[in-house]
Amino acid sequence: MQVRGPDGTEGPASRPPTIRELLTHTAGFSYNFINNPRLVNAYREARVTDGLDQGEVTTAEAMQRLAFVPLGYQPGTGWEYSLATDVLGAVIEKVTGASLGAFVTGRIARPLRIESFVFNAPETMRSRFVQVTRPAQVTGALGTGYVPVVAPEAVPFPPTKGTADFDPNRAFSLTAYHSGGAGMSGTIGDNGRFLQMLLNEGELDGVRVLRAETVRQMTQNATGNMPTLPGPGWGFALGFGIVIDPAAAKSRLPAGSYGWGGIYGMQFWIDPANRVVGLVPTFHRT
């Protein structure tokens, strides 16, 4: 395993990334759409998938491609939003012998009476998918109304200058590759049930899928003072951004609140102090 430094030179990794580093995006991976200048060309030459753009590859093929490109920094020494979550999905498949979709269904969704969490939605569900839109553009100025986002249209992904060529309408057509960071679909109501389970520290309607101690550990800042998304005042827990300084974060959420968002505008947060869950399904890109 190699690491490519800021000057473009490569050297051996000090050690393999840990599971904790995968959970915190400190393992050294990146995304194509992040456009990391040290890595993006290597990712594209190796045809590394970001999850929604190459659904025909298998998980094993996707990991093989990723294995041939260098890390962006020594594991544990930096933070970058990345394919680490996809690597975690591959670890689950390797350990359990089941696909990631089957694991989620059996261990999480079915016990919580959630039926809509799928990587490959059946025909009966596809008519319910929401069309992702963006503001209409009129000669460079913001127009009125919205227009559909159609791949391979480049969709800006703030705060970077990168672009994402994802097709929102292919989310239900993924087959072989169960991407841990992208591609699983679900209804607003079922997403709300999942978030309520987290607010309840792993339990919902008398069914426990996580120990309370596990959820508490998952929702503590694990990255110290490393700069992370969305910016100052935020840290990163085991899978979530977390508010560590509301004033610096310019947030009304109290410290300890955690959440994340999706590339097409879905946002969620969990406020344990006030026992509040927020889910904002905007389904458009700006």
Side-chain angles (χ1 to χ4, degrees):
M1 182 175 289
Q2 295 292 106
V3 175
R4 182 171 293 173
D7 61 356
T9 59
E10 292 187 16
S14 58
R15 55 172 175 76
T18 66
I19 295 295
R20 186 178 182 87
E21 287 161 353
L22 293 173
L23 286 163
T24 56
H25 291 289
T26 58
F29 298 108
S30 185
Y31 268 123
N32 270 308
F33 65 77
I34 295 294
N35 274 338
N36 182 319
R38 297 198 306 275
L39 298 177
V40 66
N41 287 337
Y43 272 49
R44 291 174 181 171
E45 287 171 6
R47 298 188 68 239
V48 172
T49 172
D50 279 341
L52 291 180
D53 55 342
Q54 295 179 36
E56 74 281 0
V57 304
T58 66
T59 302
E61 289 169 342
M63 293 301 104
Q64 282 283 0
R65 295 178 186 183
L66 185 60
F68 278 101
V69 297
L71 299 177
Y73 49 84
Q74 292 289 351
T77 64
W79 190 95
E80 185 165 329
Y81 192 43
S82 71
L83 285 163
T85 309
D86 288 51
V87 179
L88 282 169
V91 170
I92 289 172
E93 293 193 351
K94 192 72 172 179
V95 170
T96 66
S99 70
L100 181 59
F103 177 84
V104 171
T105 297
R107 296 290 295 272
I108 300 171
R110 188 176 294 131
L112 296 178
R113 301 202 308 275
I114 289 173
E115 298 182 358
S116 65
F117 282 7
V118 293
F119 283 98
N120 192 346
E123 291 289 345
T124 54
M125 294 176 62
R126 297 184 186 184
S127 63
R128 300 176 64 185
F129 275 74
V130 177
Q131 173 66 58
V132 178
T133 62
R134 62 167 174 79
Q137 302 291 321
V138 180
T139 62
L142 186 64
T144 59
Y146 291 84
V147 296
V149 170
V150 179
E153 179 179 358
V155 184
F157 184 83
T160 73
K161 295 181 180 179
T163 60
D165 294 333
F166 299 143
D167 181 353
N169 301 305
R170 287 192 63 193
F172 57 73
S173 65
L174 291 177
T175 53
Y177 184 28
H178 289 187
S179 165
M184 176 163 272
S185 304
T187 64
I188 295 170
D190 279 350
N191 274 278
R193 286 185 61 80
F194 181 79
L195 298 182
Q196 186 68 48
M197 176 274 292
L198 291 173
L199 179 64
N200 295 347
E201 295 188 328
E203 180 272 336
L204 183 66
D205 295 339
V207 176
R208 179 165 293 280
V209 295
L210 291 169
R211 291 182 179 180
E213 296 87 349
T214 300
V215 178
R216 291 175 197 143
Q217 185 176 30
M218 289 169 57
T219 54
Q220 300 295 315
N221 180 33
T223 54
N225 295 319
M226 287 184 183
T228 68
L229 289 175
W234 287 81
F236 206 83
L238 304 186
F240 311 94
I242 185 165
V243 179
I244 55 179
D245 183 341
K250 298 180 180 178
S251 173
R252 294 185 179 181
L253 293 171
S257 300
Y258 59 95
W260 203 241
I263 194 169
Y264 292 118
M266 174 76 92
Q267 302 286 325
F268 76 89
W269 71 88
I270 298 172
D271 174 359
N274 294 301
R275 302 287 302 167
V276 173
V277 165
L279 180 62
V280 184
T282 52
F283 299 112
H284 72 263
R285 298 300 302 144
T286 57

